[in-house]
C-alpha cells in the first residue's frame, strides 16, 4: 500500500523535530509550533498522516508540552495494526505530519472550581495532558499540592513519566514550584515495584491517601483530573461521585474532569 507523503506545503503540515522510542509500545515526538497556535494546558489536537487516497487520517492527541514551550510534544502508543500509529511510529526528524490548529478538551483548569489539592490520575499514555499541566505556573497558583499518579503495567512503561517529573523539577521556570508542591506516585499492576495496584483500588483501600500523606477526596478541598483507558475513566468517575464530587466542564466547572487517552 502506498500512503501519501505529507509535504511541507500540505494543509496544516508541521515539521517533526524529535522522536524518542521508550518501549516497543510507546514513543514520543515533538513538532514545530505554528506561530499563531495557542492552547490551554491539558487540551488536545487532531494530528496524523495522509492515507492511501491522500485524505487526512487523524486522531486526538493531548499536547504534552507546556504552553510556553516553542515545540509541541506528544506521547503515543504504538498499535501494531492501528491504521495511524502503525505508521506514525516510523516518523523521523524533518518529516512532516498534519496537525489541525484547533485545540479542545475538558482536562483544563478552567473546568474546575477552586480547591486546595489536585489529583491527576493517569494510566498509560493518559499522562500526556498532565505533562503539559504540571509545567503550567497557573497550576501552582491555584493549588497548594499537586498529586500526579501514574499507573502502568510494568516499570519500563513508567519511564516517560519519571523523566518528565525529573525534568520538571530541574526546569529553570517551574522547577522551584514543582520541587515544593508536586508529589509524584507511580504504580505498576503486572510487575513488582515499590507501589503496586490500580489507582482505583489504591483509592478505595485508602492506601493512596496514606502514601501521599493526604486525606480521602472531599468536595470542599480536592479536585481530580482523570485520563486513561475507558475502563479506568468509568471506574474513577464512579469513585469520584461516591466521594460527592461533581463532574465539571468548560461551561460549568465542577470538582473533577475526565478524558479518554488516545488508543488507536
Ligand atoms: P491492569 O494491568 O490491572 O489491567 P493498559 O496497558 O491496558 O492500557 O493499562 C494501563 C494500566 O491501566 C494498567 O496498569 C492497567 O491495570 C490499568 N487499568 C486498566 N483498566 C483499569 C481500570 N478499570 N481501573 C484502573 N486501572 C485500570
Amino acid at each position: 500500500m502506498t500512503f501519501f507523503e505529507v509535504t511541507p506545503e500540505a494543509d496544516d503540515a508541521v515539521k517533526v523535530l524529535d522522536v524518542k522510542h521508550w518501549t516497543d509500545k510507546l514513543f514520543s515526538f515533538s513538532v514545530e509550533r505554528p506561530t499563531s497556535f495557542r492552547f490551554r494546558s491539558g487540551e488536545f489536537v487532531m494530528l496524523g498522516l495522509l492515507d492511501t487516497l491522500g485524505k487526512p487520517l487523524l486522531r486526538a492527541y493531548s499536547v504534552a508540552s507546556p504552553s510556553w514551550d516553542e515545540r509541541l510534544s506528544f506521547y503515543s502508543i504504538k498499535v501494531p495494526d492501528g491504521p495511524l500509529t502503525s505508521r506514525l511510529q516510523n516518523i523521523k526528524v524533518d518529516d512532516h505530519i498534519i496537525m489541525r490548529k484547533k485545540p479542545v478538551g475538558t482536562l483544563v483548569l478552567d473546568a474546575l472550581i477552586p480547591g486546595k489539592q489536585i489529583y491527576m490520575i493517569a494510566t498509560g499514555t493518559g499522562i500526556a495532558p498532565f505533562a503539559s499541566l504540571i509545567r503550567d505556573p497557573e497550576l501552582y497558583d491555584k493549588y497548594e499540592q499537586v498529586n500526579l499518579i501514574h499507573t502502568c503495567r510494568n516499570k519500563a512503561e513508567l519511564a516517560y513519566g519519571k523523566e518528565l517529573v525529573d525534568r520538571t523539577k530541574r526546569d529553570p521556570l517551574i522547577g522551584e514550584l514543582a520541587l515544593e508542591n508536586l508529589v509524584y506516585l507511580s504504580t505498576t499492576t503486572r510487575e513488582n515495584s515499590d507501589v503496586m495496584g490500580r489507582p482505583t483500588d489504591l483509592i478505595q483501600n485508602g492506601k493512596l491517601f496514606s502514601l501521599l500523606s493526604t486525606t480521602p477526596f472531599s468536595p470542599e478541598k480536592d479536585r481530580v483530573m482523570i485520563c486513561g483507558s475507558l475502563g479506568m475513566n468509568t471506574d474513577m468517575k464512579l469513585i469520584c461521585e461516591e466521594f460527592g464530587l461533581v463532574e465539571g466542564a468548560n461551561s460549568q466547572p465542577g470538582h473533577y474532569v475526565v478524558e479518554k487517552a488516545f488508543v488507536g
Side-chain angles (χ1 to χ4, degrees), residues 73-95:
S73 304
F74 303 94
Y75 184 44
S76 179
I77 193 166
K78 305 176 195 177
V79 182
D81 302 321
L84 178 63
T85 61
S86 63
R87 291 180 51 223
L88 193 67
Q89 64 174 291
N90 299 319
I91 52 167
K92 305 258 179 309
V93 172
D94 290 339
D95 283 353

Side-chain angles (χ1 to χ4, degrees), residues 122-125 127 148-152 157-158 161 184-187:
T123 56
T125 56
I127 194 170
L148 174 64
I149 297 98
H150 189 206
T151 300
C152 291
E157 293 172 346
L158 292 172
Y184 166 63
L185 176 69
S186 61
T187 85

Side-chain angles (χ1 to χ4, degrees), residues 123-124 151-153 157 188-190 198-200 229 231-232 235:
T123 56
T151 300
C152 291
R153 294 180 181 200
E157 293 172 346
T188 55
T189 50
R190 301 194 192 187
R198 290 180 165 197
T200 41
S229 64
M232 196 283 277
D235 293 351

Side-chain angles (χ1 to χ4, degrees), residues 93-247:
V93 172
D94 290 339
D95 283 353
H96 284 77
I97 63 172
I98 292 174
M99 188 194 93
R100 296 276 187 251
K101 295 180 205 70
K102 207 173 148 239
V104 283
T106 53
L107 287 185
V108 290
L109 297 176
D110 293 344
L112 294 171
I113 49 184
K116 278 208 157 89
Q117 293 228 1
I118 188 159
Y119 294 79
M120 299 174 165
I121 317 260
T123 56
T125 56
I127 194 170
F130 304 135
S132 179
L133 278 155
I134 62 165
R135 288 177 282 176
D136 186 338
E138 190 188 343
L139 178 71
Y140 301 95
D141 277 351
K142 289 195 159 164
Y143 297 97
E144 288 171 14
Q145 186 169 318
V146 175
N147 304 289
L148 174 64
I149 297 98
H150 189 206
T151 300
C152 291
R153 294 180 181 200
N154 56 52
K155 287 193 272 190
E157 293 172 346
L158 292 172
Y160 173 90
K162 284 197 191 302
E163 199 202 281
L164 162 76
V165 172
D166 279 354
R167 211 165 1 113
T168 302
K169 292 194 171 180
R170 281 186 276 111
D171 186 275
L173 178 74
I174 206 80
E176 213 171 304
L177 290 169
L179 267 175
E180 213 162 294
N181 302 315
L182 173 65
V183 183
Y184 166 63
L185 176 69
S186 61
T187 85
T188 55
T189 50
R190 301 194 192 187
E191 184 186 4
N192 277 331
S193 70
D194 292 348
V195 185
M196 293 196 61
R198 290 180 165 197
T200 41
D201 294 337
L202 295 172
I203 290 168
Q204 279 173 317
N205 64 25
K207 204 170 157 193
L208 183 117
F209 304 108
S210 57
L211 285 166
L212 298 172
S213 307
T214 60
T215 48
F217 295 155
S218 100
E220 285 70 43
K221 61 176 182 49
D222 297 316
R223 303 295 169 256
V224 184
M225 294 179 128
I226 305 156
C227 188
S229 64
L230 201 54
M232 196 283 277
N233 291 356
T234 311
D235 293 351
M236 269 306 305
K237 269 173 79 119
L238 285 173
I239 291 173
C240 286
E241 304 276 341
E242 275 167 22
F243 280 102
L245 309 187
V246 173
E247 187 168 2

